[in-house]
Amino acid sequence: TRTRCSVLIVGAGISGITAAKELAENGAEDFVIVEAADRIGGRMRKEDFSGVTVELGAGWIAGVGGDHINPLWEMARHSNLRTCFSDYSNARYNIYDNNGNIFPAGVAAEAYDKAVESAIEKLENIEESDCNSDETPSSPKRPIDLAIDFMLHDFEMAEVEPIATYTEFGESEFLVADERGYEHLVYKMAETFLFTSHGKILDNRLKLNKAVREVQQLRNSVVVKTEDGCVYEANYVILSVSIGVLQSNLISFSPPLPSWKTEAISKIDIMVYTKIFLKFPYKFWPSDPDKEFFIYAHERRGYYTFWQHMESAYPGSNILVVTLTNEESKRVEAQADEETMREAMEVVRQMFGNEIPDATDILVPRWWSNPFQRGSYSNYPVYVNHQLLQHIKAPVGRVFFTGEHTSDKFNGYVHGGYYSGMDTGKALVEEMRGEMARERENHHKF
Ligand code: FAD
């Protein structure tokens, strides 16, 4: 079957849905949204874990309390989404050694300041030499320094360089702790322009379980094929798949994407970020709010380092969360969950002693192995040039690119996805109006 429409949107995460909303609000309602998964929301995804709603993907509304209001914060307030303030700054004072002792505050503070200083120095060196040398003069060696280095580089670069999210919207972060999930905000938005009934989207312009594999540009249209053999022909395509998917060759382009585009795609890193949830029969960790985040100083960098208890979000849930990134994420995704549980328990016992009970359940998200994600979020090189930013979001013929990774200011965040969708929607409306005007003119000529 061949479906004809004016605009085909690939992907129903926040960027794709926002772009569609922008089109709908500008009278361009002849669109179809194709989504590989069986749901909308993309990387905003909740799951039930032992009776508690946990966020496998985006968990925080980052950037709250500043001069400008974060649009996601506004939406959350509008929907009465339940959120909890997160104070990461205490994490550095809750660093455990392998005897279960917490490092004295003075030692931790000193190690932290040293790490910030050397990170700034490293940044300045990169700036000066304009090359990416990994040879830091003083690479951290002690477990506590490795732990702090991990926390600094994989979580809080804001302490080292200004990040637009925090400078514009404020420095606070709020954890979403609502049974409807963070994804509820995407549903609320979709509801404003897609036909829904009893909380279900029934609009036939939304096609789930449709994985795009081919994008072929003809002179005046684009033909898109999905894995199940469906064919769509549209005047324009908006592609909102992640940078990881673009790097993976899941989708073949004909003619091939130009080299300026493929080069830009290859220059942006994809970060893998994995929150592993562990359920316990009872709580054995200190559950005060200032102990919400804690760290284990292992001799291996990033090895079950960063921990959070869920007592603030869901009191009595008896759940701990440990966050792994990049190589550790990939390693754990490839092994059985029982093995991951065994490794995690070993670390938990180093911190809290051998008498504690075994975890009764584990949840390991697999963002890297998911062919429709291939990672968690984009990570721009420390110094990006203007050209790279232009190239990553520039359309190629009738194919427009959107998604978190195309937001030069807020890439990596939910609000980055939101703004990119809005910008792309606007740009396409402009383009379509221009095309219509040109057609009208030609009509008059002949
Ligand atoms: P996506 O949500 O990925 O949407 C793209 C859609 O395209 C997906 O639904 C996908 O299934 C679909 N798709 C892919 N390939 C195809 C295909 N071939 N055919 C059809 N459909 C396809 N942000 C924050 O602000 N705060 C956080 O705390 C935070 N934490 C995060 C933690 C994790 C573990 C992860 C994974 C992300 C986190 N983020 C966070 C980032 C945030 O989730 C993303 O920036 C944002 O959701 C991206 O939206 P998007 O629309 O650009 O992409």
Side-chain angles (χ1 to χ4, degrees):
T1 56
R2 183 177 281 237
T3 309
R4 190 63 243 200
C5 58
S6 171
V7 182
L8 185 80
I9 298 162
V10 182
I14 189 153
S15 65
I17 293 295
T18 309
K21 178 168 179 268
E22 195 62 32
L23 294 179
E25 287 174 355
N26 283 283
E29 295 188 85
D30 180 27
F31 56 78
V32 169
I33 308 171
V34 286
E35 164 58 55
D38 59 3
R39 54 178 285 282
I40 70 167
R43 283 172 268 173
M44 299 167 78
R45 166 162 211 169
K46 63 162 185 180
E47 195 157 306
D48 181 83
F49 176 61
S50 305
V52 170
T53 302
V54 296
E55 298 290 345
L56 304 189
W60 281 271
I61 301 174
V64 177
D67 293 342
H68 302 275
I69 185 149
N70 182 331
L72 267 297
W73 183 243
E74 194 151 272
M75 287 184 224
R77 283 203 313 199
H78 211 253
S79 289
N80 275 320
L81 205 70
R82 191 172 157 258
T83 57
C84 302
F85 174 67
S86 282
D87 188 359
Y88 286 117
S89 67
N90 286 312
R92 73 189 79 153
Y93 302 113
N94 300 321
I95 307 180
Y96 289 84
D97 68 14
N98 58 1
N99 292 314
N101 297 317
I102 292 183
F103 283 92
V107 175
E110 194 187 318
Y112 191 84
D113 292 345
K114 214 176 70 193
V116 172
E117 214 172 278
S118 104
I120 292 173
E121 203 176 300
K122 192 176 168 186
L123 270 185
E124 284 167 353
N125 284 342
I126 296 174
E127 194 170 22
E128 270 166 25
S129 62
D130 202 34
C131 73
N132 247 315
S133 145
D134 273 339
E135 289 165 41
T136 24
S138 54
S139 291
K141 301 237 162 51
R142 294 180 305 168
I144 183 174
D145 296 325
L146 287 169
I148 286 174
D149 185 75
F150 175 74
M151 181 170 69
L152 206 59
H153 288 276
D154 294 39
F155 292 89
E156 341 179 39
M157 273 310 269
E159 301 260 333
V160 177
E161 47 163 2
I163 292 177
T165 287
Y166 304 101
T167 54
E168 289 204 7
F169 297 137
E171 293 188 354
S172 301
E173 300 202 26
F174 283 80
L175 181 74
V176 175
D178 192 294
E179 284 178 9
R180 296 167 293 173
Y182 209 155
E183 63 181 58
H184 177 68
L185 302 182
V186 183
Y187 277 92
K188 284 310 272 187
M189 203 183 341
E191 246 178 36
T192 65
F193 66 97
L194 292 175
F195 174 66
T196 57
S197 174
H198 296 98
K200 273 208 145 87
I201 300 172
L202 300 176
D203 201 303
N204 61 13
R205 290 174 296 174
L206 174 67
K207 317 268 187 211
L208 300 175
N209 301 305
K210 298 281 177 204
V212 168
R213 299 302 303 272
E214 272 180 63
V215 174
Q216 188 187 9
Q217 298 216 44
L218 307 175
R219 197 138 78 109
N220 290 315
S221 68
V222 190
V223 175
V224 171
K225 294 187 182 141
T226 55
E227 204 149 70
D228 61 358
C230 288
V231 182
Y232 299 85
E233 188 169 357
N235 297 345
Y236 294 99
V237 166
I238 293 180
L239 200 54
S240 81
V241 306
S242 72
I243 188 81
V245 171
L246 290 174
Q247 287 171 355
S248 77
N249 301 326
L250 174 74
I251 303 174
S252 70
F253 293 88
S254 140
L257 291 176
S259 58
W260 58 263
K261 190 61 153 188
T262 52
E263 265 164 37
I265 290 170
S266 72
K267 277 191 183 139
I268 291 176
D269 279 343
I270 185 93
M271 172 98 180
V272 194
Y273 180 103
T274 314
K275 292 181 269 187
I276 296 172
F277 300 87
L278 292 164
K279 171 84 176 172
F280 291 92
Y282 57 86
K283 184 184 77 193
F284 49 80
W285 51 88
S287 60
D288 325 56
D290 67 345
K291 296 271 187 291
E292 182 175 357
F293 298 96
F294 54 98
I295 285 171
Y296 179 66
H298 199 274
E299 60 264 12
R300 181 157 139 195
R301 187 186 183 276
Y303 190 81
Y304 300 91
T305 302
F306 198 82
W307 293 79
Q308 180 187 3
H309 71 60
M310 298 241 330
E311 293 308 305
S312 313
Y314 289 112
S317 58
N318 302 333
I319 292 174
L320 288 181
V321 191
V322 60
T323 300
L324 306 185
T325 61
N326 300 334
E327 292 317 308
E328 286 298 321
S329 290
K330 293 178 189 171
R331 188 182 67 77
V332 158
E333 281 195 24
Q335 73 187 12
D337 290 354
E338 294 74 56
E339 184 59 17
T340 304
M341 170 112 89
R342 199 192 55 71
E343 291 176 355
M345 280 312 301
E346 215 171 80
V347 170
V348 178
R349 292 205 155 96
Q350 300 275 312
M351 290 188 282
F352 299 107
N354 285 326
E355 298 73 39
I356 59 156
D358 280 328
T360 53
D361 203 358
I362 185 168
L363 176 59
V364 183
R366 286 179 163 76
W367 294 104
W368 170 249
S369 326
N370 183 337
F372 307 116
Q373 290 300 345
R374 304 298 295 173
S376 300
Y377 46 84
S378 67
N379 198 5
Y380 280 14
V382 184
Y383 291 102
V384 278
N385 59 35
H386 183 69
Q387 198 178 50
L388 175 61
L389 299 176
Q390 287 304 312
H391 286 175
I392 198 65
K393 64 180 169 195
V396 173
R398 293 175 169 272
V399 178
F400 282 62
F401 291 79
T402 197
E404 155 274 297
H405 56 283
T406 67
S407 167
D408 43 12
K409 261 177 149 178
F410 305 117
N411 75 87
Y413 293 97
V414 170
H415 48 276
Y418 171 80
Y419 279 119
S420 73
M422 205 151 78
D423 290 349
T424 309
K426 285 200 165 86
L428 183 50
V429 166
E430 278 295 297
E431 168 75 20
M432 293 191 323
R433 285 187 182 144
E435 188 171 47
M436 247 152 61
R438 283 192 299 275
E439 268 169 19
R440 241 179 279 128
E441 218 165 83
N442 283 341
H443 219 77
H444 282 299
K445 272 191 205 146
F446 305 110

